[in-house]
Amino acid sequence: MVTRLRRLEGLLGGRLNDLDYRSISELVGNTDAAEGEDLDYKREHYSGGDESREELAKDVAAFANHTGGVLVLGMAEDKGVPSRVFDVDLDDRHLRHIRQVIANNTAPPVPYEAIPVHNPDAPGTGFLLIAVSRSPYAPHAVTARPTKLSRDGLRYPRRGGSQTEWLTETDVATSYRARYTAAAERDRRLADVEEDLVDAVASRTTPHLIVTLVPEQAGGMVIDSDRFIRYREELLATQLHLGQGGRNFGNVTVGPRRLIVAEGSGRYSARAELHRDGSAAIAISLNGRIHVDEYEDVQLHTAEPGDVVYPLLCALPFLAAHARDRAGASGLAHVSVTLVADIAAHPTQARVLDLDRPPVAPFRVDRIDPATGRPRPLTGESHSCATADAGVLLDNLADLDRGLLQATAALADELLQAYGYPETGLITRTGELRPEQFSQRNSGAVAQWAQEHGLL
């Protein structure tokens, strides 16, 4: 899923991956579509020579180091204004060449999306869009061998109007400092958002899944009386549990620079905190089994893999939709997932001493033996806390497409490795969903949701 580039979407009349051949062809002669800081045209494919490899690496790095943008291959220009269509081949050979050049000639490699737009009258040809978002990993250097002698050793391009300019040593140093400072601030922000939520549910003593999301580029949700009415209506109508239908939330209130959303009045109902900058966190109580001794004291909590993966699958699009659609954030985000046997087992609660609180019971993720209906431990190991994290694209999660499945698989596999699972087997890393592998509680809901979204 392509990162959103709002100005270009307005110019082109739709999202980049939804454009048709005609909408791009009609740019010919449109002065509003002239080359600029976020748009460039190329009449033909980049060739295989040294100069062409350097040019491609420079063009994508310049966008990534600035505000992002799109290269349109298959369109000639005259003084920057699109002037004539020249369809290019859209075969795998050219796509592989672009991928190899960018991967081998930019450092760190520039993330991009190649979007073919086919000519309906000439299958296999058309326009090729190379979409590049503003990168949180900037500055990106061009590492291709220079084809022109230059006294400048630094090779960090940046878009300047319709041309490419080169960063000075001071620019590069400033960019590196901004990259590391931003990463540290995001980590602190993620920890703060998660801790706020954990403090709010600190009295809970059963297993919970806590999912936290922080956008790379902060958004800005406005909270006032009129907007709060709209937000409240939206959230009360939101379906948190995918495939189950109906409304899930029963209470929406305002907190410090955030909205607070509760599933219901129950002690263990889901609770989410949605912040103005697009950061958000949700705590979901896990379904499972409680094993007690002869005195009715809890000795062990267990849950099936599907009872962990399903709430994660539900939480990710809910948080991403807030960041993108309510706070206006875009691009990449960082997601952290924490599975705790008891909220007291969360790392932020280690400093809290409560002598009246029962000890934290061990927690294990077990499959159910279909023959006996009893848990079938994969390993005797139990863990009171497990974590996972990943970088994601907000659009992938919020749009409920295969990118959501891929992100869920990456996080779930890492999370359940603490309980002896190399991978969950419920969702593959390529986004293949296996509803029958989920637990009896949620396999039907997963299948229904996936069928509705064309993911089976």
Side-chain angles (χ1 to χ4, degrees):
M1 181 61 64
V2 179
T3 299
R4 309 295 295 273
L5 297 167
R6 304 289 182 177
R7 190 192 80 85
L8 295 183
E9 289 178 1
L11 174 67
L12 297 168
R15 295 179 57 170
L16 298 178
N17 55 328
D18 291 334
L19 296 178
D20 59 24
Y21 182 82
R22 179 180 176 182
S23 64
I24 302 177
S25 300
E26 291 178 345
L27 294 178
V28 170
N30 183 352
T31 56
D32 291 336
E35 291 182 331
E37 293 191 340
D38 57 357
L39 185 60
D40 198 2
Y41 299 103
K42 303 292 178 183
R43 172 173 170 169
E44 55 194 10
H45 276 294
Y46 294 88
S47 68
D50 288 346
E51 185 173 351
S52 183
R53 284 194 293 270
E54 181 186 24
E55 184 73 9
L56 173 56
K58 181 194 72 173
D59 288 343
V60 295
F63 280 139
N65 288 340
H66 193 41
T67 59
V70 174
L71 292 166
V72 180
L73 277 59
M75 179 74 79
E77 52 83 18
D78 182 14
K79 297 180 180 178
V81 177
S83 59
R84 187 177 174 185
V85 171
F86 287 90
D87 288 352
V88 297
D89 290 331
L90 301 177
D91 56 354
D92 287 342
R93 178 174 66 86
H94 285 97
L95 295 178
R96 285 197 304 271
H97 172 69
I98 290 170
R99 182 170 62 248
Q100 290 168 356
V101 169
I102 293 175
N104 294 334
N105 295 278
T106 61
V110 172
Y112 75 98
E113 292 283 347
I115 308 170
V117 182
H118 291 267
N119 183 343
D121 298 324
T125 68
F127 300 105
L128 181 63
L129 310 184
I130 301 177
V132 181
S133 62
R134 178 183 179 183
S135 176
Y137 307 110
H140 294 268
V142 174
T143 59
R145 179 181 302 174
T147 56
K148 296 180 181 179
L149 292 177
S150 172
R151 64 183 180 183
D152 296 324
L154 297 169
R155 290 164 47 76
Y156 293 87
R158 177 176 61 194
R159 197 73 175 170
S162 61
Q163 305 297 319
T164 297
E165 59 189 25
W166 297 91
L167 301 184
T168 66
E169 185 174 3
T170 299
D171 292 331
V172 173
T174 301
S175 295
Y176 271 110
R177 184 179 187 280
R179 179 202 292 181
Y180 297 127
T181 299
E185 289 176 350
R186 279 194 305 275
D187 290 344
R188 286 194 295 269
R189 180 62 177 150
L190 191 145
D192 289 344
V193 169
E194 183 168 333
E195 184 171 3
D196 282 353
L197 178 65
V198 169
D199 287 344
V201 296
S203 63
R204 300 186 180 188
T205 59
T206 60
H208 277 68
L209 190 74
I210 300 165
V211 187
T212 308
L213 179 147
V214 173
E216 298 274 13
Q217 303 292 333
M221 175 180 66
V222 176
I223 301 177
D224 58 25
S225 296
D226 291 339
R227 289 180 177 85
F228 175 68
I229 292 172
R230 186 174 78 246
Y231 298 153
R232 184 176 183 277
E233 290 175 351
E234 291 173 356
L235 289 164
L236 292 179
T238 296
Q239 179 183 327
L240 173 63
H241 303 297
L242 302 178
Q244 294 188 12
R247 299 188 301 178
N248 299 122
F249 293 111
N251 191 30
V252 182
T253 58
V254 175
R257 297 178 298 280
R258 73 197 70 175
L259 301 174
I260 299 173
V261 189
E263 189 176 12
S265 58
R267 177 175 170 80
Y268 295 106
S269 63
R271 177 189 172 98
E273 297 191 356
L274 312 176
H275 295 254
R276 289 193 318 194
D277 65 354
S279 301
I282 187 168
I284 302 176
S285 179
L286 297 184
N287 289 313
R289 298 190 177 204
I290 301 175
H291 306 261
V292 299
D293 60 17
E294 58 182 315
Y295 302 105
E296 299 298 318
D297 291 328
V298 176
Q299 297 298 301
L300 175 70
H301 287 289
T302 62
E304 297 180 58
D307 289 328
V308 176
V309 178
Y310 175 68
L312 176 58
L313 178 65
C314 297
L316 290 174
F318 172 71
L319 301 181
H322 165 69
R324 188 190 71 178
D325 302 334
R326 207 168 287 116
S330 64
L332 295 168
H334 190 78
V335 173
S336 172
V337 183
T338 305
L339 195 165
V340 290
D342 179 315
I343 298 299
H346 192 278
T348 64
Q349 299 299 300
R351 61 181 180 271
V352 178
L353 179 63
D354 185 351
L355 298 178
D356 296 326
R357 189 183 184 108
V360 176
F363 176 79
R364 208 169 58 203
V365 178
D366 296 340
R367 296 192 183 279
I368 299 298
D369 187 335
T372 65
R374 296 183 61 81
R376 185 177 58 195
L378 183 68
T379 174
E381 294 291 326
S382 62
H383 289 274
S384 59
C385 182
T387 61
D389 64 272
V392 299
L393 271 173
L394 288 172
D395 285 333
N396 279 3
L397 306 187
D399 287 339
L400 297 168
D401 61 15
R402 202 162 299 278
L404 167 62
L405 299 179
Q406 294 167 349
T408 303
L411 288 161
D413 286 353
E414 181 180 346
L415 191 68
L416 265 62
Q417 284 168 6
Y419 302 95
Y421 295 86
E423 58 184 9
T424 68
L426 281 66
I427 309 174
T428 69
R429 289 298 185 98
T430 59
E432 179 186 352
L433 186 64
R434 297 166 179 165
E436 71 282 357
Q437 298 294 321
F438 282 73
S439 71
Q440 188 175 7
R441 291 186 185 90
N442 48 52
S443 60
V446 171
Q448 180 173 330
W449 169 78
Q451 289 171 350
E452 290 172 354
H453 288 78
L455 295 173
L456 283 181

